[in-house]
Structures are given as structure tokens and as C-alpha cells.
Amino acid sequence: MTTLDIPELALVALVGVSGSGKSTFARRHFLPSQVLSSDMFRAMVADDENDQSASADAFEALHHIAATRLRRGRLTVVDATNLQSHARAALVRVAREHDVLPVAIVLDVPEALAWDRTQGRADRTFGRQVLTRMQRDLRRTYGLLAREGFRKVHVLRGVEEIEAAEIRYEKLF
Ligand code: GTP
Ligand code: MG
């Protein structure tokens, strides 16, 4: 079992390619109300969780709700790929503005597995090259997370490690 220590109040960024299991992990370990997913916010602003043209508006709304939750002292999990530096920087900024620790949980599965899973989903229609690009972005991300301000970086490699992970909350004081 891998124990992931997380402060009781944190902004948790899930990081992983499409099909790595972020939403599944979020469902398993957190309350539905703690999880802000990019899909949910795209649907909220555009009635379509895959409408990429809605991403800017969706993330603006997501960051706003994340900020509100942190101001109120609620642990918040961001379920998005978080593979781009600028996307992660926005989360670190929101966390810092509220004196909350930003934490990253990276889910790293073999690209072939993520692709297999994606092909089995009616709600994902992108091509293989999109996944390959995400995988490349993930490789780059490893060297950046700590520098970007994530105070804890938990990396789960492979399905077994992901499935065996447990969250343990650290008391703040
Ligand atoms: P995007 O939302 O596209 O970025 O993907 P995601 O990272 O949220 O992946 P998601 O959690 O939706 O997982 C995709 C599929 O993989 C799910 O429908 C599950 O069937 C399968 N899956 C995800 N996590 C696990 C896991 O831990 N174990 C097993 N056996 N299957 C998993
Ligand atoms: Mg998902």
C-alpha cells in the first residue's frame, strides 16, 4: 500500500493523461463535492464536457469555485489533466492566495493502457497522437512540479500502485 500524506486543507491537483484514471481515483478517495473536474465545468458552461472551445470559460469558473472553497477552508481536488505549466501555475496561484498548500498527485500509466481505455469510451474521440502528446507533456512535468510550487508531489506508477494508494490526512497544527 502506498500512503499519500496530504494536509487536511490542501489544493490537490491530479495530474495525468486522459485515461490514466484521474476521475476514478477522485471518486474513490474524495467526496463528490470536493472534486472540481474540467469536464463538469465545460458541461456547466457549454452543455458539452468535450467542447474544447469552452475550456477558458470552464477553467475560469473552476478557479473561482476553487478559490471560494479554499477561502472557506475546504479541501479541493482539481480533476483535469494538468499537463500544461500554465494550467498548474493557475492552481498554485489560487492556493497561495489562500495560504493553502498545493499538492500534486501524478497518475502514470503506460500509454498503451490509457489508449485502450480511451478507445472503450464513447465520450472520448481524440486520436492516438493527442495521447502521445499528453504522454510527452507528462514526462516534462516531472521536472517542473516542485519548482512550480507544489509542496508535495506524490507519484503513482502503474495500475497496481494507483489501486493500492490510500490518502492519509495530516493535521495542520
Ligand atoms: P480523462 O477524464 O479523459 O482525462 O481520463 P481520466 O484520467 O479521468 O480517466 P478515468 O478515471 O475516466 O478512467 C478511464 C477508464 O479507465 C475508466 O472508465 C475505467 O474503466 C478505467 N480505470 C480507471 N482507473 C482505474 C483503476 O484504477 N483500475 C482499473 N482496473 N481501471 C481503471
Ligand atoms: Mg476524467
Side-chain angles (χ1 to χ4, degrees), residues 5-157:
D5 285 317
I6 290 177
E8 268 183 325
L9 176 54
L11 178 63
V12 179
L14 301 181
V15 178
V17 305
S18 189
S20 58
K22 301 178 298 295
S23 301
T24 305
F25 185 90
R27 263 195 302 279
R28 187 176 298 159
H29 296 285
F30 302 100
L31 300 172
S33 51
Q34 292 176 319
V35 180
L36 307 182
S37 84
S38 49
D39 282 347
M40 183 172 78
F41 277 86
R42 274 193 212 91
M44 246 186 270
V45 303
D47 296 324
D48 177 358
E49 65 173 49
N50 284 305
D51 184 347
Q52 299 303 316
S53 78
S55 287
D57 284 331
F59 277 102
E60 187 183 308
L62 186 155
H63 295 149
H64 181 75
I65 300 296
T68 306
R69 289 184 55 84
L70 297 184
R71 176 167 54 75
R72 299 179 59 86
R74 310 314 304 176
L75 178 107
T76 299
V77 180
V78 178
D79 172 14
T81 55
N82 290 315
L83 292 169
Q84 304 290 327
S85 246
H86 69 86
R88 296 187 299 269
L91 299 182
V92 170
R93 196 157 53 237
V94 172
R96 285 201 178 135
E97 280 167 6
H98 296 84
D99 289 321
V100 167
L101 293 180
V103 172
I105 301 179
V106 182
L107 306 190
D108 193 341
V109 301
E111 183 177 333
L113 174 65
W115 178 242
D116 277 353
R117 288 173 169 180
T118 296
Q119 284 188 300
R121 291 170 67 187
D123 59 342
R124 290 292 180 272
T125 55
F126 53 78
R128 176 77 192 233
Q129 72 284 0
V130 172
L131 189 64
T132 301
R133 194 174 63 228
M134 288 186 195
Q135 199 74 34
R136 198 186 58 213
D137 290 339
L138 177 68
R139 300 265 84 78
R140 281 198 195 121
T141 294
Y142 279 117
L144 301 173
L145 286 168
R147 258 190 280 164
E148 287 171 345
F150 287 94
R151 292 290 294 277
K152 276 181 193 289
V153 177
H154 293 298
V155 179
L156 297 171
R157 283 202 172 82

